[in-house]
Amino acid sequence: MPNTKVLPLLEPEVPEAVAPCCPPLTERPFTAEEADTAARMFKALGDPVRLRLFSAVASHEGGEACVCDISDVGVSQPTVSHHLKKLKEAGLLTSERRGTWVYYRVEPSVLAAMSKLLTVAPAAA
C-alpha cells in the first residue's frame, strides 16, 4: 500500500478590491452592503459605451487590453478614459501603467462572481 496523503484543494486567493461579494440572487436577500456592491457593478455596465469597453477588455487576446487598442467605441478618447475609470471604480476592471500606456484587465474572479450572482439555484425535489 503506497504511503500517500490526499491534500485538500485550496481556493485561489481573490483580491478583495476587485471581487464582488454577493451571493446568488436566489440564495437569500442581500444585505445593504451586498446590494450596494451589486448596484455599483450593474450601474456601471448599464451604459452602452461602458458595456462595450468592458466587453472589449474581457474578450481581448491575453485577457488584457491597452487603452490604445480599445478606443473605437464611438466616443472621444477623454470620454473613453472617463468610462474606463468608472468601470474601475465599480471594481470591474484593474489597470496597470506601462510606460505611457495603461493596460486594463477583467479579473476572472469578477466574471465568476457576476456569473454566480445571476445563477438560479435548482428547485428542491
Side-chain angles (χ1 to χ4, degrees):
M1 175 178 251
N3 187 13
T4 60
K5 292 182 182 179
V6 176
L7 297 175
L9 293 176
L10 299 176
E11 293 295 320
E13 290 186 28
V14 178
E16 290 182 38
V18 296
C21 60
C22 306
L25 288 171
T26 56
E27 184 177 299
R28 61 171 171 75
F30 282 176
T31 65
E33 185 178 333
E34 291 167 341
D36 185 54
T37 299
R40 268 195 321 268
M41 290 176 4
F42 287 108
K43 183 177 180 181
L45 291 176
D47 182 284
V49 172
R50 289 184 197 149
L51 188 56
R52 288 184 67 198
L53 288 168
F54 186 71
S55 173
V57 173
S59 64
H60 202 270
E61 185 178 334
E64 72 176 7
C66 175
V67 68
C68 60
D69 294 330
I70 55 171
S71 58
D72 76 348
V73 291
V75 295
S76 66
Q77 185 58 44
T79 305
V80 167
S81 294
H82 166 76
H83 287 301
L84 288 169
K85 178 183 173 187
K86 292 296 183 183
L87 289 167
K88 189 175 171 185
E89 288 172 352
L92 297 169
L93 296 178
T94 58
S95 66
E96 178 184 354
R97 179 170 292 281
R98 297 182 198 154
T100 58
W101 296 111
V102 178
Y103 287 78
Y104 289 89
R105 172 179 293 280
V106 176
E107 294 297 324
S109 62
V110 171
L111 292 176
M114 289 177 69
S115 174
K116 184 178 177 186
L117 175 72
L118 297 174
T119 299
V120 177

